[in-house]
Amino acid sequence: MKTWIPVKEFSKTNRIVHHISAVMFIGALLLMAYDQYVGSSDAMLLHQSFGVVVFVLYFGRIVLMGWFGKPEALGTQMEQFLAHMAHLALYGILLLMPLSGLMLNIARARDTVVFGLFTIPGFSERNMDIYLMALDVHSFLEWICYLLLFAHVGASMFHHFVLKDDTLKRMWGKTD
């Protein structure tokens, strides 16, 4: 049974969500690096807000692919399998990273304020067991995230410049 409806290219809505969430996800990574270097609480607040938005956008993107379909992977059967596995891992990261980050805040009995628009309340008391588990998950996923991001961009460039197929064009909606 196919999970997605095969189409020639991603829908415009799906492409927009992909690009916005990619910018926000990379922004969240950069804000975290900045916070670790400078120690800016504003950077951490933005990082948390970006994480919540990325979660919502990527959850929505998965729903959109169910409604509007997604293109079949190009290449050999092995390349298609690897692309499918890599995308499943990316979707998992883009959902689990924000959730584990949110759990860090909640377990520390801190509210998560999303761009000043709404607040996700923390626990009434700190729960160090949940905090340590969420920290381990978030830290582990951070390194997996860097590897997957590098592989995703690298594979896109490989398809575009070496294989010269339409993989990258389909994401930008430029197929003929």
Side-chain angles (χ1 to χ4, degrees):
M1 178 175 107
K2 289 218 180 261
T3 306
W4 312 111
I5 302 163
V7 293
K8 187 176 179 181
E9 62 188 34
F10 285 98
S11 70
K12 185 174 186 173
T13 305
N14 213 319
R15 290 191 311 267
I16 290 169
V17 169
H18 174 272
H19 299 310
I20 291 171
S21 57
V23 167
M24 294 201 82
F25 191 75
I26 291 168
L29 293 174
L30 294 173
L31 284 164
M32 193 64 229
Y34 177 78
D35 177 66
Q36 289 176 347
Y37 183 71
V38 176
S40 166
S41 60
D42 289 339
M44 178 54 77
L45 292 173
L46 269 176
H47 171 85
Q48 293 169 354
S49 293
F50 279 22
V52 170
V53 171
V54 165
F55 175 82
V56 170
L57 286 174
Y58 248 82
F59 184 80
R61 183 162 189 252
I62 291 167
V63 171
L64 286 172
M65 284 188 287
W67 283 341
F68 298 118
K70 74 175 228 166
E72 297 260 344
L74 301 176
T76 67
Q77 192 171 9
M78 177 57 88
E79 290 168 342
Q80 290 175 5
F81 173 77
L82 291 172
H84 181 68
M85 291 296 109
H87 281 100
L88 286 178
L90 277 169
Y91 300 148
I93 286 285
L94 290 164
L95 296 174
L96 293 174
M97 280 290 287
L99 283 178
S100 62
L102 183 60
M103 281 312 301
L104 283 168
N105 234 23
I106 289 172
R108 287 173 40 200
R110 293 197 179 163
D111 295 343
T112 302
V113 180
V114 182
F115 295 118
L117 299 173
F118 64 93
T119 301
I120 301 169
F123 291 154
S124 56
E125 294 180 15
R126 289 182 181 196
N127 185 321
M128 288 308 290
D129 291 335
I130 293 175
Y131 172 79
L132 292 172
M133 179 194 68
L135 182 62
D136 287 344
V137 169
H138 203 68
S139 298
F140 173 74
L141 291 176
E142 178 184 1
W143 291 105
I144 301 299
C145 169
Y146 294 136
L147 291 172
L148 286 172
L149 196 58
F150 178 77
H152 185 65
V153 171
S156 298
M157 297 298 106
F158 179 75
H159 275 275
H160 188 70
F161 293 111
V162 176
L163 298 179
K164 298 185 187 311
D165 63 21
D166 287 341
T167 298
L168 193 58
K169 288 179 182 178
R170 292 186 306 175
M171 193 61 232
W172 289 96
K174 305 265 187 216
T175 58
D176 299 326

